[in-house]
Amino acid sequence: MRHTQSLLSTIDVKNFGAETLRIGDLNGNGAPDLLFTQSIYETRKITCLTATDIFGNVLWQTGEPSSENGRIYSDLPVQIYDWDDDGRNEVLYVRQSKYAELYDGSWAIERAKRYEGEATMVILDGRTGLEKDAFPIPAPADDSFLFANLTGQGRRRDLVVKDRYWNMWGVSHTGEPLWHWEGSTGHYPAIGDFDNDGRDEVFVGFALIDQDGRPIFENDPGGAHQDAAFVARLADGSWRLLFGNHGIHCVSPEGKELWRHPLTEAQHVVVSRFRDDSEVQVMVLDRGHPREKFTSHSMLYLYDIEGNEIWRREQPDGSWAAAIVEIDWLGGGAPLCVLAYSRGPEAPAAIFNGEGEILETFHMQHTPERTSEERKAHFYCTRADLWGDGREEVILSGSTGACIYANASPLAIPSLYNNTLYPGM
C-alpha cells in the first residue's frame, strides 16, 4: 500500500467535539464549513451546535457545549440547506417536544407514550446561528429528516420527517402536514422521482410511498426495518431500489424483488461505478456479529447490479464496522472508491478500491490534552470536496477530535500543447 495522503487539518474541538458532523458553506464565503452537533446520549435531543471553518476557527455557537454530549447512538435531525432559496445556507434542526410519559424497559429514549406540545423545526441563519424562523411539526417527528419535492415546485423545498421506526410525515415548505404514513420506516429513507411526475417518492425499504402519502407498494417487514436504503437510476432509465437489513435486497419501483442475499446485518449499501468492467456495482457492508458473543466477522461485499458476487473482504478481528460511503478519492474520472470505518477502539478508517484493495488508512488526530482512555473514543467518518479540486477529502469527527485528510498525489490533467507566449492565436 503506497500512502499518498496528507493531513490537511487537525481541529482542537475542546468541549464541542461531536460524532455528528454536517458540511456546507455557513459564512457565505463560498468555502465549505463544519457544523458539530452535540446531543444527550441515548436520546436525539440536540444541545449544542458549533460552526467552524475547516481549520477549526469557530464561527458561532448556540447551546451549551459539553464533552459529555459528543457521543451518539443514532442519526440526529439536523441539516444545512438553502431553505429560503436566497443563495445563502440555513441550519435546520428539530427541537423536541416534551416526553411527558415514557415507555418502560428501553435502554434508549426513542419515543413517548404521551407528548406535550409539538416538536419544532428551527431555522437558523447560517452566518450567525441566530434563529430566523420556526414552525411546529408532529410531536414524535424528532428523528432524522430529509428534503424532498412533494408539491411539484421544481426544487426540494418540502420535508419528510419521521420518528425512530414507526411513523413518517410529509410536510410542506410552509409547515403544513401533507400526509402521515404508519409502518416500518427504517433509519433513513431514500427519495427519487421514480414515475417521472415531477414529484419525489419516498423509499423506506419495505415500502414505497408516493408524494401524497399513498403506498405504491408495501411488503410485510416481519418486525424488521431497513438499516440503509439506496436508489440508483441506470443508463437505460430504469431504477433499482436497494436496502439492507438482515440481508441485502434489490427491488423494482413496482415492488418486485429482483434479487437478495441473506446476510447477518447488512448495515450499509452503496451503488456506484467502482470498476470499469460494468456500468455500476453494489457495495455492501455486513456488520456480522463481532459484539459480545463473537460469532462472525464484519464483511465488505461487492456485487454487480444483478446481484452476482464479485468479491468479499473480511474486516479486522473485533471491529464493529459502522458504515461505508462512496468517495471520489482519485479524481479525473477514475472509478470511485469506498470509505469504510469501524467503531472498534482506535481502529482506522480505510479506503477500498474496486478490486478490494486498501489504498489508504486514516487515524483520528485527537485534541491536545486528551488522556489515553479518551483517545480510544469512537469517531465517525465522511467525505467532501473541501478544496474544489474534483477530489474528495476524508473527514474524521468524534467527541475528542476532528481532522481532515487529502489526497496528496498529483491529479493527472490533459497534456497542454501548442503553447505560446502569444495567447489568442
Side-chain angles (χ1 to χ4, degrees), residues 103-272:
Y103 288 90
D104 297 326
S106 176
W107 70 275
I109 301 176
E110 296 185 324
R111 60 174 171 170
K113 287 184 179 180
R114 183 173 60 86
Y115 299 87
E116 290 183 1
E118 300 291 332
T120 304
M121 183 65 68
V122 182
I123 299 101
L124 305 181
D125 188 317
R127 296 167 297 178
T128 64
L130 298 177
E131 186 170 321
K132 292 179 64 174
D133 198 3
F135 54 84
I137 58 175
D142 58 18
D143 196 77
S144 56
F145 68 89
L146 68 161
F147 304 102
N149 177 15
L150 303 176
T151 54
Q153 299 185 57
R155 182 175 182 265
R156 287 176 170 163
R157 295 171 53 85
D158 308 310
L159 294 166
V160 174
V161 300
K162 60 185 284 291
D163 62 10
R164 186 72 176 133
Y165 292 121
W166 308 276
N167 296 274
M168 186 168 65
W169 294 263
V171 177
S172 75
H173 185 81
T174 57
E176 175 189 0
L178 300 172
W179 49 261
H180 167 234
W181 179 79
E182 183 176 358
S184 180
T185 64
H187 286 298
Y188 199 81
I191 57 174
D193 183 9
F194 307 122
D195 57 7
N196 294 314
D197 68 348
R199 305 183 185 194
D200 286 327
E201 288 75 52
V202 186
F203 176 56
V204 295
F206 294 97
L208 179 64
I209 312 303
D210 211 347
Q211 78 277 349
D212 58 3
R214 177 184 57 86
I216 295 173
F217 70 79
E218 288 182 289
N219 296 319
D220 182 4
H225 62 261
Q226 61 89 351
D227 283 320
F230 200 101
V231 298
R233 190 174 189 180
L234 305 185
D236 63 5
S238 64
W239 288 88
R240 299 293 188 272
L241 282 55
L242 295 102
F243 72 99
N245 61 342
H246 295 296
I248 176 66
H249 308 259
C250 180
V251 301
S252 72
E254 295 74 36
K256 178 183 178 182
E257 186 168 76
L258 303 176
W259 54 266
R260 68 182 176 90
H261 292 292
L263 300 173
T264 304
E265 187 181 357
Q267 184 70 16
H268 273 236
V269 54
V270 175
V271 181
S272 195

Side-chain angles (χ1 to χ4, degrees), residues 97 139 141 162 179 199 236 287 296 299 306 311 319 341 383 422:
S97 62
K162 60 185 284 291
W179 49 261
R199 305 183 185 194
D236 63 5
R287 277 189 176 177
S296 63
M299 195 76 69
E306 304 303 326
W311 51 254
S319 70
Y341 58 97
R383 77 287 185 247
Y422 301 92

Side-chain angles (χ1 to χ4, degrees), residues 289-352:
H289 278 160
R291 294 168 282 176
E292 300 174 357
K293 296 181 180 179
F294 182 94
T295 57
S296 63
H297 288 88
S298 302
M299 195 76 69
L300 187 65
Y301 293 90
L302 186 68
Y303 301 99
D304 67 22
I305 197 61
E306 304 303 326
N308 302 301
E309 184 179 318
I310 299 173
W311 51 254
R312 65 177 69 182
R313 296 292 183 266
E314 189 174 285
Q315 301 303 291
D317 286 348
S319 70
W320 175 11
I324 54 174
V325 292
E326 73 275 25
I327 180 171
D328 191 355
W329 179 251
L330 302 175
L336 300 187
C337 301
V338 69
L339 175 62
Y341 58 97
S342 168
R343 292 191 67 186
E346 301 179 290
I351 287 181
F352 289 81

